[in-house]
Structures are given as structure tokens and as C-alpha cells.
Amino acid sequence: MVIANTRSTNGATEKRTSPKAPKGGAQDDDDRDGKEETVTDDRPSPMDVLRQARAQLAELTGMTAESVSSFAQTEDGWSLEVEVLELERVPDTMSLMASYEVELDPQGQLTGYRRVRRYERGRADTHRPGGR
């Protein structure tokens, strides 16, 4: 039996096949018929989700996504908190940053975002645990 994993990345489809050892030393019916069993994994990897979220948020807002400060899989997809450069100033420590809560569906497509706070790059937020 041959198992094929198909995964879509940025519109391209990648197909990997690997032989599977027959159970009990006998060939499966599928092997004798020349059929393949296909296993499809439509879920993107966590790194793909992070990259997609940053790119989609930057495209929608026109602002540079600098980092992801939190990342979690939810029942509805993914939830991230992304740090964005909102206003560049000199010196850099005076630049205005913002944290955006970003929601994505299970495939990594942005479904919504909102700004949850603004701050100067050089200042720590003492009002929230963990500096968030």
C-alpha cells in the first residue's frame, strides 16, 4: 500500500508518497488492484500560519508586522497577537508600536483583527502581566 500526503502551500500542491509495509506479511487488496490510498492534510503548519498572518495583516493595514508575541490554536482556527510598527520616530525608542489581535480560520486565512494597545517602543507596560 502507498500513502500519499498532499499539502497546498501558497497555491502550489506538493504530493509525497511513501510505501507502507503490508500487515501480517500479506499484501492488501488495494496493492493488488494497483490503487493508492490518499491522505490529505489541509491544515497549514504553525510556521505557515505565522507567515500568512504577518503578510495578510501588513497588506491590510499597510504597516510592518515586527513580531508575533502570542500564538494559539483555537476551536475556530488560530489566534495571534502581532506587534506592529505604527509610527516610526527618531530615536527609534520613541517609535509608536501597537499590538493587534489577529484571528485566522483553520487554513490560516485572516478573518479579523483589532488593535488592543499602543505604546512607545522604549517603554514597558507595567499595567499588564508579562509586559503585554
Side-chain angles (χ1 to χ4, degrees):
M1 177 186 292
V2 177
I3 295 185
N5 289 327
T6 306
R7 187 171 138 193
S8 176
T9 307
N10 295 336
T13 301
E14 173 184 305
K15 185 174 182 178
R16 291 176 288 199
T17 50
S18 60
K20 183 176 178 184
K23 296 179 184 174
Q27 281 190 325
D28 262 6
D29 288 338
D30 285 348
D31 284 345
R32 285 189 291 258
D33 294 341
K35 295 178 184 173
E36 286 186 357
E37 178 182 325
T38 301
V39 178
T40 303
D41 186 5
D42 290 337
R43 295 175 302 170
S45 73
M47 287 307 297
D48 288 338
V49 171
L50 290 174
R51 286 184 197 105
Q52 289 178 20
R54 290 178 64 166
Q56 291 176 69
L57 184 64
E59 186 175 347
L60 286 170
T61 63
M63 295 179 280
T64 304
E66 294 211 346
S67 65
V68 176
S69 56
S70 72
F71 176 73
Q73 191 168 12
T74 65
E75 289 180 9
D76 299 328
W78 304 88
S79 177
L80 294 81
E81 190 165 319
V82 180
E83 306 305 315
V84 171
L85 175 62
E86 283 206 334
L87 181 61
E88 193 169 6
R89 291 186 176 160
V90 176
D92 191 47
T93 55
M94 297 302 291
S95 293
L96 285 181
M97 303 293 294
S99 292
Y100 281 79
E101 185 179 286
V102 179
E103 302 294 327
L104 296 105
D105 67 15
Q107 287 72 42
Q109 296 301 308
L110 195 139
T111 58
Y113 70 90
R114 69 183 181 99
R115 185 173 64 199
V116 291
R117 71 184 181 109
R118 277 181 101 182
Y119 58 96
E120 289 178 343
R121 186 189 295 270
R123 293 191 188 254
D125 189 354
T126 59
H127 302 300
R128 297 176 68 185
R132 293 189 350 206

